Amino acid sequence: MKERPINSFDHWEDNHMGMRYCIGIDIGGTTVKMGLFTVEGRLVEKWEIPTRHEDAGGHILEDVAASLKKKLADEDYSWNDVAGVGLDVPGPVQPDGYVSVCVNLGWMDLYPAQELSKLLGGGINCYVGNDANVAALGEMWQGGGKGHKNLMLVTLGTGVGGGVVVDSKIVTGAHGAGGEFGHIHIREDDPDTCNCGGRGCLEQTASATGIVREAKNVLKASDDPSAMRQFGDALTAKDVCDCAKAGDSLALKAMNTCCRYLGWGLSIICMTTDPEVIVIGGGVSKTGQWLCDLIQSYMNPLTPLLADTQKAKVVLAQLGNDAGIYGSARLVLGSELGN
């Protein structure tokens, strides 16, 4: 009989017969979101608690453990039915689960999964991943990438982030920097410095901030009328996208530039990891299918090696702010990070 891979869901089932639930935790700078899931992926309950920052975030995991214990006790769930707990954090995570720093939490030099397991009594398996990478796993499991094992999640918000999933496993890289799409150098003519210290980063053009910056540059360079002018300095990425969808020529010019560079960057990753789908999330994704189609139109010609039927399809994320808890719960089922 053919041996099954160690990280497959089948292998997980062999070792966790009778366990019906897994828990996903999304640790953010403002709140900690938590969800109880069946192992099939149905969300049973979700709740949240405030993220406490005092004492360098030293009470966050204590609060999480206390909340989990209370929830299971109050709802009469048995820990014997829980296969494990997954959590994501807003910072790089090494393959062994080590987190050197999470600036937004105040953490430094920590193994969060190991610490949480101790706080839960030591008998619960815990797993940890970077929040963007884990969100990609969530979209694969029950979101826009459901039914696929190879995908990219690209989040277009204040910055550009995301994660890569290959054969149902998160690609973290040697230093946890896998999926840092926003800091791919893509634009030679960009004179401004990115927050990372580099120049010409994809984030500077394709993020919500980058879209507004591009639109303002277009407005300055032209005297043509545009609906964008009414917003003045308060112009947002949503305003730019709405105007472009309505046919505003200057807004379309700005969005075409942003999506051309985004499509270029994504095509490079496509020829590296060969995903089946590219899932677009973040605030800018609320623009809808129009945005996906525009990105697709610029990306497809840059992957000529792939037949039309093989090119990654650009789709919208479906889980929204719950992607983190879904992905964290999914960590338990396959231990994709090997923590």
Side-chain angles (χ1 to χ4, degrees):
M1 187 172 77
K2 185 177 179 181
E3 183 179 351
R4 289 177 292 187
I6 191 84
N7 280 334
S8 73
F9 182 70
D10 287 341
H11 178 87
W12 181 89
E13 285 182 312
D14 290 344
N15 289 280
H16 297 82
M17 291 298 291
M19 291 187 176
R20 297 177 294 167
Y21 303 107
C22 49
I23 294 171
I25 302 169
D26 175 20
I27 301 181
T30 304
T31 62
V32 178
K33 300 178 179 66
M34 292 179 250
L36 177 70
F37 295 81
T38 67
V39 295
E40 294 82 17
R42 179 174 64 87
L43 178 60
V44 179
E45 286 196 57
K46 67 176 179 178
W47 68 101
E48 61 183 55
I49 61 174
T51 304
R52 288 203 289 156
H53 291 266
E54 58 264 34
D55 299 325
H59 302 291
I60 295 173
L61 292 177
E62 294 174 0
D63 292 348
V64 168
S67 181
L68 290 178
K69 291 176 181 178
K70 185 176 187 302
K71 174 61 70 173
L72 266 66
D74 289 349
E75 302 297 333
D76 199 27
Y77 290 111
S78 171
W79 280 104
N80 292 329
D81 291 333
V82 177
V85 177
L87 64 152
D88 69 38
V89 299
V93 179
Q94 298 289 337
D96 64 353
Y98 174 70
V99 174
S100 61
V101 61
C102 282
V103 176
N104 291 340
L105 302 181
W107 286 356
M108 294 187 67
D109 193 26
L110 186 68
Y111 287 86
Q114 292 182 18
E115 183 64 27
L116 181 59
S117 181
K118 291 176 184 176
L119 291 167
L120 292 174
I124 300 295
N125 293 322
C126 296
Y127 309 91
V128 63
N130 166 265
D131 54 0
N133 288 334
V134 167
L137 196 62
E139 289 289 343
M140 180 204 76
W141 191 30
Q142 298 293 335
K146 187 173 182 178
H148 302 285
K149 294 182 178 181
N150 299 276
L151 63 88
M152 285 191 285
L153 170 67
V154 183
T155 55
L156 305 177
T158 305
V160 174
V164 179
V165 177
V166 175
D167 291 336
S168 300
K169 300 175 183 65
I170 296 172
V171 177
T172 60
H175 307 100
E180 291 288 351
F181 309 134
H183 301 291
I184 296 173
H185 178 82
I186 201 73
R187 193 169 183 177
E188 288 293 332
D189 65 348
D190 194 334
D192 296 328
T193 302
C194 178
N195 290 332
C196 73
R199 294 193 179 204
C201 291
L202 183 60
E203 180 167 296
Q204 293 176 272
T205 296
S207 65
T209 306
I211 289 171
V212 171
R213 189 178 67 134
E214 187 64 33
K216 288 183 175 180
N217 287 339
V218 168
L219 288 171
K220 288 179 183 177
S222 173
D223 293 327
D224 292 348
S226 171
M228 294 189 293
R229 297 190 189 280
Q230 66 181 302
F231 300 103
D233 289 339
L235 183 71
T236 67
K238 181 181 184 301
D239 298 330
V240 179
C241 292
D242 288 346
C243 290
K245 287 174 69 176
D248 185 290
S249 61
L250 294 187
L252 278 168
K253 182 176 181 180
M255 286 305 298
N256 274 288
T257 297
C258 294
C259 288
R260 176 165 63 89
Y261 282 109
L262 181 57
W264 183 0
L266 295 181
S267 72
I268 294 170
I269 306 168
C270 282
M271 299 313 299
T272 305
T273 65
D274 193 17
E276 299 162 272
V277 293
I278 297 173
V279 182
I280 304 296
V284 178
S285 71
K286 294 178 181 178
T287 303
Q289 190 60 42
W290 179 89
L291 177 68
C292 293
D293 292 343
L294 187 59
I295 296 169
Q296 190 95 56
S297 70
Y298 281 108
M299 186 184 75
N300 278 3
L302 301 176
T303 56
L305 186 64
L306 297 170
D308 288 344
T309 56
Q310 297 174 324
K311 295 181 187 294
K313 185 177 180 181
V314 182
V315 303
L316 293 170
Q318 296 180 5
L319 298 179
N321 291 332
D322 288 342
I325 58 173
Y326 273 89
S328 295
R330 181 61 176 79
L331 281 178
V332 176
L333 304 184
S335 306
E336 281 82 2
L337 293 178
N339 297 329

